[in-house]
Amino acid sequence: MAATKDAEAEGESPNFHLAVLEGVLERITYANEETGYTVARVDTGRGSADLLTVVGALLGAQPGESLRMRGRWGSHAQYGRQFHVENYTTVLPATIQGIQRYLGSGLIKGIGPKLAERIVEHFGTDTLTIIETDPQRLVEVPTLGPKRTKLIADAWVEQKAIKEVMVFLQSVGVTTSIAVRIYKEYGDTAIDVVKSEPYKLASDVWGIGFKTADAIAKAVGIPHDSPERVKAGLQYTLSQGSDAGNCFLPREKLIEAAVKILTVDAALCESCLEELIAAEGAVRETLPGEWSDTEAIYLVPFHRAEVSLAAQLLRLKNAEEDKLAQFRQVDWDKALSWLRTRTGNDLAPEQEQAVRLALTSRLAVLTGGPGCGKSFTVRSIVELARAKRAKVVLAAPTGRAAKRLAELTGAEAATVHRLLELKPGGDAAYDKDRPLEADLVVVDEASMLDVLLANKLAKAIAPGTHLLLVGDVDQLPSVGAGEVLRDLLDAEPIPRVRLTQVFRQAQQSGVVVNAHRINAGKPLLLREFPDFHLFAEDDSEKAADLVVDLAVTRVPRRFGLDPRRDVQVLAPMHRGPAGAGNLNVLLQQALTPHRDGAPERRFGGRVFRVGDKVTQIRNNYDKGANGVFNGTGGIVTAIEHDDQKLTVRTDEDELIPYDFAELDELQHAYAVTVHRSQGSEYPAVVIPVTTSAWTMLQRNLLYTAVTRAKKLVVLIGSERALAQAIRTAGSGRRHTALDLRLEGTLKPTAGREASSEVRT
């Protein structure tokens, strides 16, 4: 029976306004994944017809759990009496109904609602005691054999251990999913690690950053000015810099940012930085040229990757061997005439230059905007290479981009990750000791290559193989650290061609014309083209509703498109009324609503249903044949509560299972941020451009969004916000030094600070 009582009766300090409420969580009606704020209905023992509303910090709780909630009573003008939760713990239910609901909720792997009913019917109120103390007796239940009995017993032990970790972590706001990850990383030593080495969590456990680790450290008594804390904070600051795309931070910026994060003296940060560098937790290097003798501080992996990438690219460029040597002696007039009969079109002078460069130079870069013929140029290069029986390997950073490259060339193409056959831990099956078998490697959408992935790719290419990198340098740079394509174009020794001529046919496209106008900082042409539209709406919330109406109903109906497959909403940012987060909630309600009896799984602030569009939000090298990577999209095809698994069919047509505890790796993708859309193309894109995203409104972001569309662009929002995006050139260059290394103006110095040995 549920109860409320004063906190003082629980042995806590007197606070007569703090109460305790016990009940079974029946359903969650709203949850905000960013703040943790949750609205739920609980059964307090008076029957489901008289459920009580609770609001507050319930993120992580699952329907079916019995909860002990601490908080305060209040009243809402519209919804009446409510209980405001400050924190909660789970408790084991005591009634037959509660036990059955608890076991059947999906919390215990191997037990679904039907099996829970049979188990409770057999053992009654002794069910949980038997599972805890004598699980072998589960074989008494019809259809339950020894193998499944052991699975249930093991799952019960793991769940119990996770609950113990949760109890300890709850005071610092760690969610259930993070507690599961901590337990899986450290097992029975989890609580000991949390108490003695809390900053270790930030490097070992995905989903835990410095701030969470710092809160835990404070709770276990680590001093505010502890060198351990300051060094962890410096590494976190560098990590934040890499998350923003930088390979390094200038020392002054690093110290300034760390002081703000840590609220300690700069002198302490300086001394701890020296200790960190001495212990090889960071690398210091003095940069010349444009950086004016800047003292650059790198995290070790990014320094190694940048130094190695420069060395590998120069190795390829300067190799004596040439696997396409036949093109040095080719009769180009004859070759281009043959190509014309093959493709039915002439090459423009810039395109011809690019074709010759790719086939005669062992390293080359091809860039250009929409409508300038990059695709036809790539097709021409591949046609000529294959005509000489060269082995051509095609790749792109994303599944969608690889599929488009394959369609363009008529040859097989793979993602870079799959091409390299990345293994658990991130090591590649192909590297300098086992290079790819290829005469020519073409990588499309090269603006998406970060320094880590580009380094893995370059290492896997044998001397003499030609490498052609193709991309639009005016798009957003990679999500990961580095600005590889731009650095290559800025490095004088690297051969390159930039296509600038917009072809006549492309000039009839509003998508192409306006993309180039955006790039030039010019106002859009909004009435001249049938494939480019603006719906003006200054109010962000009304704009969000209009996005849903257009994406789900009006655009599909008018243009004969499938709203789920053919229309993609691209938002400048995740947060806000017209951000990807809120739009996903609205679009899911419209396209994949709740249906009684249909399987679904709530995780934090999200609920997953069969048919949902989703995207992976971290690199996970342990999933699938060769890992699943940040930005991989797919569709939820199955949700199995007994096995606690959700299955996604990715864009590469691979079925990937996710344990329920891993669902924080997935986000809905009815709407995605523009950054996440890189490398993809869609028949139609719907783009909210509102003042609520003011800080994100920049030219390359809008340009990238518009160029994702093959046929149709629909903008919704404020003309003022649109003008802001077009006139704002961007936030400037990232902190990288790849171009300096390629030009030979930066050579690593000896010693710990920047070892001359290139470790790859």
Side-chain angles (χ1 to χ4, degrees):
M1 176 66 68
T4 60
K5 46 200 169 188
D6 289 335
E8 189 176 18
E10 292 276 292
E12 301 176 3
S13 58
N15 183 338
F16 297 106
H17 297 290
L18 191 65
V20 174
L21 174 70
E22 294 181 1
V24 177
L25 181 60
E26 287 292 321
R27 64 176 179 270
I28 294 174
T29 56
Y30 171 80
N32 186 309
E33 63 184 276
E34 294 168 4
T35 65
Y37 180 81
T38 304
V39 179
R41 301 280 280 170
V42 298
D43 182 355
T44 58
R46 292 176 293 182
S48 58
D50 194 15
L51 299 179
L52 177 71
T53 298
V54 297
V55 299
L58 278 169
L59 201 61
Q62 295 290 342
E65 286 188 300
S66 293
L67 306 179
R68 179 177 291 118
M69 297 161 281
R70 292 175 176 82
R72 293 175 174 80
W73 290 100
S75 182
H76 189 279
Q78 182 176 354
Y79 301 110
R81 195 173 186 233
Q82 296 179 337
F83 190 75
H84 295 263
V85 181
E86 293 190 1
N87 57 69
Y88 75 92
T89 57
T90 58
V91 294
L92 294 177
T95 66
I96 286 179
Q97 180 185 6
I99 293 169
Q100 182 174 319
R101 179 74 191 274
Y102 177 75
L103 285 181
S105 65
L107 288 166
I108 309 302
K109 194 170 186 176
I111 302 181
K114 292 182 180 178
L115 180 55
E117 183 178 358
R118 294 206 306 272
I119 293 173
V120 174
E121 187 177 283
H122 187 83
F123 294 116
T125 55
D126 293 332
T127 296
L128 299 183
T129 303
I130 287 167
I131 295 175
E132 170 81 27
T133 61
D134 195 10
Q136 293 84 356
R137 286 191 59 194
L138 288 172
V139 296
E140 297 174 16
V141 179
T143 74
L144 257 183
K147 186 176 179 180
R148 200 168 183 190
T149 294
K150 185 179 185 307
L151 176 69
I152 293 169
D154 291 345
W156 178 268
V157 171
E158 181 176 340
Q159 187 68 22
K160 183 181 176 185
I162 291 169
K163 291 294 182 187
E164 290 176 4
V165 175
M166 268 302 296
V167 168
F168 180 74
L169 294 177
Q170 211 161 33
S171 62
V172 291
V174 176
T175 63
T176 302
S177 63
I178 297 300
V180 170
R181 291 187 184 279
I182 291 173
Y183 178 77
K184 286 188 174 180
E185 180 69 30
Y186 303 117
D188 294 337
T189 65
I191 291 178
D192 289 338
V193 172
V194 169
K195 286 181 176 178
S196 60
E197 300 178 272
Y199 293 107
K200 187 175 168 60
L201 302 176
S203 58
D204 289 354
V205 183
W206 182 76
I208 291 188
F210 172 78
K211 291 183 179 179
T212 300
D214 199 35
I216 295 170
K218 182 179 180 181
V220 299
I222 291 180
H224 187 73
D225 59 355
S226 160
E228 180 190 359
R229 175 176 184 266
V230 176
K231 284 184 280 189
L234 286 163
Q235 288 184 306
Y236 167 72
T237 307
L238 287 169
S239 179
Q240 290 285 93
S242 67
D243 288 346
N246 301 299
C247 289
F248 68 84
L249 289 180
R251 182 187 183 108
E252 296 77 9
K253 283 191 173 183
L254 170 61
I255 297 298
E256 181 184 351
V259 165
K260 288 182 180 177
I261 290 168
L262 296 165
T263 62
V264 297
D265 292 338
L268 179 59
C269 285
E270 294 276 7
S271 64
C272 287
L273 177 59
E274 294 301 321
E275 291 180 23
L276 193 63
I277 292 169
E280 298 188 345
V283 176
R284 170 171 46 211
E285 197 168 11
T286 301
L287 305 184
E290 63 178 301
W291 292 105
S292 303
D293 297 323
T294 296
E295 195 172 272
I297 310 297
Y298 286 81
L299 285 173
V300 173
F302 297 105
H303 183 264
R304 288 181 181 172
E306 192 177 83
V307 172
S308 172
L309 175 58
Q312 303 298 340
L313 291 174
L314 291 174
R315 171 182 62 86
L316 293 175
K317 176 181 176 293
N318 300 324
E320 292 184 6
E321 185 182 352
D322 188 347
K323 294 186 178 182
L324 294 179
Q326 61 266 45
F327 282 100
R328 293 183 186 178
Q329 310 299 328
V330 77
D331 182 336
W332 282 103
D333 288 338
K334 186 176 179 181
L336 295 174
S337 176
W338 175 87
L339 184 64
R340 187 183 308 113
T341 62
R342 183 81 173 173
T343 63
N345 288 292
D346 284 315
L347 290 167
E350 290 176 336
Q351 293 176 308
E352 183 180 326
Q353 181 189 356
V355 169
R356 292 189 186 212
L357 183 69
L359 296 172
T360 58
S361 176
R362 288 171 288 276
L363 175 64
V365 179
L366 173 62
T367 189
C372 293
K374 285 199 307 299
S375 296
F376 182 67
T377 304
V378 170
R379 180 187 166 193
S380 300
I381 292 166
V382 172
E383 289 277 7
L384 283 170
R386 292 167 69 186
K388 293 290 187 181
R389 292 182 168 79
K391 182 171 177 53
V392 180
V393 170
L394 305 173
T398 68
R400 283 178 179 268
K403 185 177 180 181
R404 191 170 68 248
L405 184 59
E407 291 169 351
L408 165 70
T409 60
E412 185 179 346
T415 63
V416 176
H417 305 92
R418 193 175 291 276
L419 175 69
L420 299 178
E421 294 184 11
L422 294 183
K423 299 178 290 188
D427 292 331
Y430 291 94
D431 56 22
K432 62 181 180 180
D433 297 321
R434 186 198 175 198
L436 295 164
E437 294 183 13
D439 301 317
L440 169 65
V441 176
V442 179
V443 181
D444 199 8
E445 296 289 353
S447 63
M448 295 183 65
L449 289 176
D450 61 50
V451 69
L452 298 177
L453 183 58
N455 180 45
K456 292 181 191 295
L457 173 67
K459 284 195 293 183
I461 298 176
T465 299
H466 285 224
L467 172 62
L468 174 64
L469 298 171
V470 183
D472 185 347
V473 74
D474 294 317
Q475 289 183 17
L476 289 169
S478 57
V479 174
E483 205 162 11
V484 173
L485 183 61
R486 185 174 295 280
D487 280 344
L488 285 168
L489 290 167
D490 285 350
E492 197 57 40
I494 306 302
R496 84 294 303 274
V497 171
R498 180 162 192 157
L499 303 178
T500 58
Q501 177 187 345
V502 180
F503 289 93
R504 185 176 303 164
Q505 184 177 356
Q507 292 173 6
Q508 310 306 310
S509 163
V511 176
V512 172
V513 170
N514 280 317
H516 284 278
R517 292 184 70 85
I518 291 166
N519 215 16
K522 297 179 180 179
L524 299 177
L525 301 178
L526 296 170
R527 295 180 177 84
E528 289 82 349
F529 300 100
D531 62 346
F532 204 99
H533 304 273
L534 170 66
F535 290 81
E537 177 53 70
D538 291 333
D539 183 275
S540 295
E541 292 186 358
K542 290 180 180 177
D545 291 336
L546 185 54
V547 166
V548 175
D549 182 31
L550 285 161
V552 173
T553 306
R554 291 163 65 177
V555 167
R557 185 171 58 209
R558 179 173 174 183
F559 295 95
L561 300 174
D562 182 289
R564 200 187 311 258
R565 184 185 64 245
D566 300 329
V567 182
Q568 182 62 54
V569 175
L570 304 178
M573 60 192 299
H574 184 77
R575 298 185 178 184
N582 185 54
L583 287 171
N584 269 315
V585 174
L586 300 176
L587 288 162
Q588 185 193 38
Q589 289 172 355
L591 290 169
T592 317
H594 169 79
R595 290 182 291 113
D596 289 341
E600 58 181 46
R601 177 66 180 181
R602 180 172 289 279
F603 190 96
R606 308 178 193 127
V607 57
F608 293 97
R609 300 180 182 127
V610 173
D612 275 340
K613 283 174 71 172
V614 293
T615 184
Q616 175 84 5
I617 61 171
R618 67 169 289 230
N619 289 345
N620 188 331
Y621 297 98
D622 299 324
K623 283 200 165 296
N626 299 115
V628 182
F629 301 95
N630 190 357
T632 299
I635 300 291
V636 177
T637 58
I639 297 174
E640 302 168 62
H641 284 281
D642 284 13
D643 294 330
Q644 292 190 309
K645 286 193 182 299
L646 176 149
T647 303
V648 174
R649 183 179 293 278
T650 70
D651 292 337
E652 297 175 66
D653 205 29
E654 184 177 10
L655 288 173
I656 304 293
Y658 290 81
D659 289 339
F660 284 170
E662 297 175 315
L663 294 183
D664 53 353
E665 295 188 18
L666 292 176
Q667 282 184 351
H668 290 100
Y670 298 101
V672 297
T673 62
V674 178
H675 282 84
R676 289 202 168 276
S677 73
Q678 288 176 267
S680 297
E681 246 187 12
Y682 313 94
V685 297
V686 177
I687 310 167
V689 185
T690 66
T691 53
S692 62
W694 192 261
T695 57
M696 295 294 293
L697 297 179
Q698 296 175 357
R699 191 178 299 164
N700 60 352
L701 183 137
L702 183 60
Y703 174 82
T704 301
V706 166
T707 54
R708 299 309 86 206
K710 289 192 283 189
K711 297 179 181 177
L712 177 69
V713 170
V714 178
L715 300 170
I716 298 109
S718 158
E719 293 185 14
R720 177 169 165 255
L722 195 58
Q724 162 73 5
I726 293 170
R727 69 170 172 262
T728 304
S731 54
R733 292 293 304 276
R734 293 177 167 185
H735 296 314
T736 68
L738 178 62
D739 55 341
L740 299 179
R741 300 184 196 281
L742 290 168
E743 290 173 346
T745 57
L746 176 60
K747 298 184 184 300
T749 55
R752 283 176 179 245
E753 296 192 350
S755 171
S756 59
E757 176 191 4
V758 179
R759 289 184 288 179
T760 60

